Amino acid sequence: KKNNLKSGDQIEVIRSGEVIPKFEKVIHSTSGSFSHPEKCLYCNTSLVVDDIRLLCKNFDCPGRKKYEILNFISKIGIDDISEKRLDMLIKFELVSEISDLYAIKEDDLLVLPKVKSTLAKKLIKTIDNSKKATLTVFLSALGLTGGAYNKCEKIVDAGYDTIDKILSMKVDDLTSVDGFALKSASEIILSIKEKQKIIKKLISYGFSLEAERSQNSNFLLGEQICVTGKLSVPRSDIHKFI
């Protein structure tokens, strides 16, 4: 909106810091003025403008549900379920919310195209292994409003280190934690309440939510490592090393 950018404009983009694409200026502007979608592309609900974000507030929106599940899959570490495979799980009505992932049985997966017994066993094992998550990873995977990994880490480090403590946490409790103002604390507490049912379902499926050890015993525990840029060996080799 600030630069009146529209479809068809020719713009200059630089590689900031040799990595991040950064908008510089408009080279040639097409006619018309900036506009953004007014309706959700998945459910046609009117979108809400929240600072720099467009939000669909329909909790039953299929698009919103899909990307909540996809975010969880990515953050919790179920590497074998891609977006395309999730689309198939949704299409065959095996998954409609996050907790459904943990109700899937091996035989259920055999209805999916190109999924045989060996792959089905592998998928079930990957899903089961993801239940051995730290509390910080679990919280960040839920997609809480304002609940980025470093924010969740601060909450756990402040002593809210069990799921019961998290669920009973109040806004006043959170504002006393470094990095949380009233607005951000209120958003996270509200988001936790909205997801309480899902959280309890996931716990019932056997999430261990092991406590993070002190940094003295393992200073990399709980950290997220990004492998990027030009590499001297295959990326998969670096993943194995890590």
Side-chain angles (χ1 to χ4, degrees), residues 190-223:
L190 177 60
S191 194
I192 289 172
K193 287 181 178 177
E194 289 172 346
K195 294 178 184 289
Q196 190 174 77
K197 186 178 177 182
I198 289 289
I199 291 170
K200 289 183 175 180
K201 270 190 179 182
L202 289 169
I203 298 302
S204 73
Y205 281 117
F207 268 81
S208 60
L209 300 183
E210 58 197 42
E212 288 83 344
R213 294 175 235 161
S214 69
Q215 291 188 346
N216 292 330
S217 61
N218 190 341
F219 70 92
L220 284 180
L221 194 70
E223 295 295 329

Coordinates of all heavy atoms in Angstrom, one line a residue, residues 190-223:
L190 N -5.3 -15.9 25.0 CA -6.6 -16.2 24.3 C -6.4 -17.4 23.3 O -7.3 -18.3 23.2 CB -7.0 -15.0 23.5 CG -8.3 -15.1 22.6 CD1 -9.5 -15.5 23.5 CD2 -8.6 -13.8 21.9
S191 N -5.3 -17.4 22.6 CA -5.0 -18.4 21.6 C -4.9 -19.8 22.3 O -5.3 -20.8 21.8 CB -3.7 -18.1 20.9 OG -3.6 -18.9 19.7
I192 N -4.2 -19.8 23.5 CA -4.1 -21.1 24.3 C -5.5 -21.6 24.6 O -5.8 -22.8 24.5 CB -3.3 -20.9 25.5 CG1 -1.8 -20.7 25.1 CG2 -3.4 -22.1 26.5 CD1 -0.9 -20.3 26.3
K193 N -6.4 -20.7 25.1 CA -7.8 -21.1 25.4 C -8.5 -21.6 24.2 O -9.3 -22.6 24.3 CB -8.5 -19.9 26.0 CG -8.0 -19.5 27.4 CD -8.8 -18.3 28.0 CE -8.4 -18.0 29.4 NZ -9.1 -16.8 29.9
E194 N -8.3 -21.0 23.1 CA -9.0 -21.4 21.8 C -8.5 -22.8 21.4 O -9.3 -23.6 20.8 CB -8.7 -20.4 20.7 CG -9.4 -19.1 20.9 CD -9.0 -18.1 19.9 OE1 -8.0 -18.3 19.2 OE2 -9.7 -17.1 19.7
K195 N -7.3 -23.2 21.7 CA -6.7 -24.4 21.3 C -6.7 -25.5 22.5 O -6.1 -26.5 22.3 CB -5.3 -24.2 20.8 CG -5.3 -23.4 19.5 CD -3.9 -23.2 19.0 CE -3.8 -22.3 17.8 NZ -4.4 -22.9 16.6
Q196 N -7.3 -25.1 23.6 CA -7.3 -26.0 24.7 C -7.8 -27.4 24.4 O -7.2 -28.4 24.9 CB -8.1 -25.4 25.9 CG -7.9 -26.1 27.2 CD -8.6 -25.4 28.3 OE1 -9.8 -25.5 28.5 NE2 -7.8 -24.7 29.2
K197 N -8.9 -27.5 23.7 CA -9.4 -28.8 23.3 C -8.4 -29.7 22.5 O -8.3 -30.8 22.8 CB -10.7 -28.6 22.5 CG -11.5 -29.9 22.2 CD -12.8 -29.6 21.5 CE -13.5 -30.9 21.1 NZ -14.8 -30.6 20.4
I198 N -7.8 -29.0 21.5 CA -6.8 -29.7 20.7 C -5.6 -30.2 21.6 O -5.1 -31.3 21.4 CB -6.3 -28.8 19.6 CG1 -7.4 -28.6 18.5 CG2 -5.1 -29.4 18.9 CD1 -7.7 -29.8 17.7
I199 N -5.2 -29.3 22.5 CA -4.0 -29.6 23.3 C -4.3 -30.8 24.2 O -3.5 -31.7 24.3 CB -3.7 -28.4 24.3 CG1 -3.1 -27.2 23.4 CG2 -2.7 -28.8 25.3 CD1 -3.0 -25.9 24.2
K200 N -5.5 -30.9 24.8 CA -5.9 -32.0 25.6 C -6.0 -33.3 24.8 O -5.6 -34.4 25.3 CB -7.2 -31.7 26.4 CG -7.0 -30.6 27.5 CD -8.2 -30.4 28.3 CE -8.0 -29.4 29.4 NZ -9.2 -29.1 30.2
K201 N -6.5 -33.2 23.6 CA -6.6 -34.3 22.7 C -5.2 -34.9 22.4 O -5.0 -36.1 22.4 CB -7.3 -34.0 21.4 CG -8.8 -34.2 21.4 CD -9.3 -34.0 20.0 CE -10.8 -34.2 20.0 NZ -11.4 -34.1 18.6
L202 N -4.3 -34.0 22.1 CA -2.9 -34.4 21.8 C -2.2 -35.1 23.0 O -1.5 -36.1 22.8 CB -2.1 -33.2 21.3 CG -2.5 -32.6 19.9 CD1 -1.8 -31.3 19.7 CD2 -2.1 -33.6 18.8
I203 N -2.5 -34.5 24.2 CA -1.9 -35.1 25.4 C -2.5 -36.5 25.6 O -1.7 -37.5 25.9 CB -2.2 -34.3 26.6 CG1 -1.6 -32.9 26.5 CG2 -1.7 -35.0 27.9 CD1 -0.1 -32.9 26.3
S204 N -3.7 -36.7 25.2 CA -4.4 -38.0 25.4 C -3.8 -39.1 24.5 O -3.9 -40.3 24.7 CB -5.9 -37.9 25.2 OG -6.2 -37.8 23.8
Y205 N -3.2 -38.6 23.4 CA -2.5 -39.5 22.4 C -1.1 -39.9 22.8 O -0.4 -40.6 22.0 CB -2.6 -38.9 21.0 CG -3.9 -39.1 20.3 CD1 -4.7 -38.0 19.9 CD2 -4.5 -40.4 20.0 CE1 -5.9 -38.1 19.3 CE2 -5.7 -40.5 19.4 CZ -6.4 -39.4 19.1 OH -7.6 -39.5 18.5
G206 N -0.6 -39.4 23.9 CA 0.6 -39.9 24.5 C 1.8 -39.0 24.3 O 3.0 -39.5 24.3
F207 N 1.6 -37.7 24.1 CA 2.8 -36.8 24.0 C 3.5 -36.8 25.3 O 2.9 -36.6 26.4 CB 2.3 -35.4 23.6 CG 2.3 -35.1 22.2 CD1 1.2 -35.5 21.4 CD2 3.3 -34.4 21.6 CE1 1.2 -35.3 20.0 CE2 3.3 -34.2 20.2 CZ 2.3 -34.6 19.4
S208 N 4.8 -36.9 25.3 CA 5.6 -37.0 26.5 C 6.0 -35.6 27.0 O 6.1 -35.3 28.2 CB 6.8 -37.8 26.3 OG 7.7 -37.3 25.3
L209 N 6.2 -34.7 26.0 CA 6.5 -33.3 26.4 C 7.6 -33.2 27.4 O 7.5 -32.6 28.5 CB 5.3 -32.5 26.8 CG 4.1 -32.4 25.8 CD1 3.0 -31.6 26.3 CD2 4.6 -31.9 24.5
E210 N 8.7 -33.9 27.1 CA 9.8 -33.9 28.0 C 10.4 -32.5 28.3 O 10.4 -31.6 27.5 CB 11.0 -34.8 27.4 CG 11.4 -34.3 26.1 CD 12.2 -35.3 25.3 OE1 11.8 -36.5 25.3 OE2 13.2 -34.9 24.7
A211 N 10.8 -32.3 29.6 CA 11.3 -31.0 30.0 C 12.7 -30.8 29.3 O 13.5 -31.7 29.2 CB 11.4 -31.0 31.5
E212 N 13.0 -29.6 29.0 CA 14.3 -29.2 28.4 C 15.3 -29.4 29.5 O 15.1 -29.0 30.7 CB 14.3 -27.8 27.9 CG 13.5 -27.6 26.6 CD 12.0 -27.4 26.8 OE1 11.5 -27.7 27.9 OE2 11.4 -26.9 25.9
R213 N 16.4 -29.9 29.2 CA 17.5 -30.0 30.1 C 18.2 -28.7 30.2 O 18.1 -27.8 29.4 CB 18.6 -31.1 29.7 CG 18.0 -32.5 29.7 CD 19.0 -33.4 29.2 NE 18.5 -34.2 28.1 CZ 19.2 -34.8 27.1 NH1 20.5 -34.8 27.2 NH2 18.6 -35.5 26.2
S214 N 19.0 -28.5 31.3 CA 19.8 -27.2 31.4 C 20.8 -27.1 30.3 O 21.2 -28.1 29.8 CB 20.5 -27.2 32.8 OG 21.5 -28.1 32.8
Q215 N 21.2 -25.9 30.0 CA 22.2 -25.6 29.0 C 23.5 -26.2 29.3 O 24.3 -26.5 28.5 CB 22.3 -24.1 28.7 CG 21.0 -23.5 28.1 CD 21.3 -22.1 27.7 OE1 22.2 -21.5 28.1 NE2 20.4 -21.6 26.9
N216 N 23.8 -26.5 30.6 CA 25.1 -27.0 31.0 C 25.2 -28.5 30.5 O 26.3 -28.9 30.2 CB 25.2 -27.0 32.5 CG 25.3 -25.6 33.1 OD1 25.8 -24.8 32.4 ND2 24.8 -25.4 34.3
S217 N 24.1 -29.2 30.4 CA 24.2 -30.6 30.0 C 24.1 -30.7 28.5 O 24.7 -31.7 27.9 CB 23.0 -31.4 30.6 OG 21.8 -30.9 30.2
N218 N 23.5 -29.8 27.8 CA 23.4 -29.9 26.3 C 23.0 -28.5 25.8 O 21.8 -28.3 25.7 CB 22.4 -31.0 25.9 CG 22.5 -31.3 24.4 OD1 23.0 -30.5 23.7 ND2 22.0 -32.4 24.0
F219 N 23.9 -27.7 25.4 CA 23.6 -26.3 25.1 C 22.9 -26.2 23.7 O 22.4 -25.1 23.4 CB 24.8 -25.5 25.1 CG 25.8 -25.7 24.0 CD1 25.8 -25.0 22.8 CD2 26.8 -26.7 24.1 CE1 26.7 -25.3 21.8 CE2 27.7 -26.9 23.1 CZ 27.6 -26.2 21.9
L220 N 22.8 -27.3 23.0 CA 22.1 -27.2 21.7 C 20.6 -27.7 21.8 O 19.9 -27.5 20.8 CB 22.8 -28.0 20.6 CG 24.1 -27.3 20.0 CD1 24.7 -28.3 19.0 CD2 23.8 -26.0 19.4
L221 N 20.3 -28.3 22.9 CA 19.0 -28.9 23.1 C 17.9 -27.8 22.9 O 18.0 -26.8 23.6 CB 18.8 -29.6 24.4 CG 17.6 -30.5 24.6 CD1 17.8 -31.7 23.7 CD2 17.4 -30.9 26.0
G222 N 16.9 -28.1 22.1 CA 15.8 -27.1 21.9 C 16.1 -26.1 20.9 O 15.2 -25.3 20.5
E223 N 17.3 -26.0 20.4 CA 17.6 -25.0 19.3 C 17.1 -25.5 18.0 O 17.0 -26.7 17.7 CB 19.2 -24.8 19.3 CG 19.8 -24.2 20.5 CD 19.3 -22.8 20.7 OE1 19.0 -22.1 19.8 OE2 19.2 -22.4 21.9

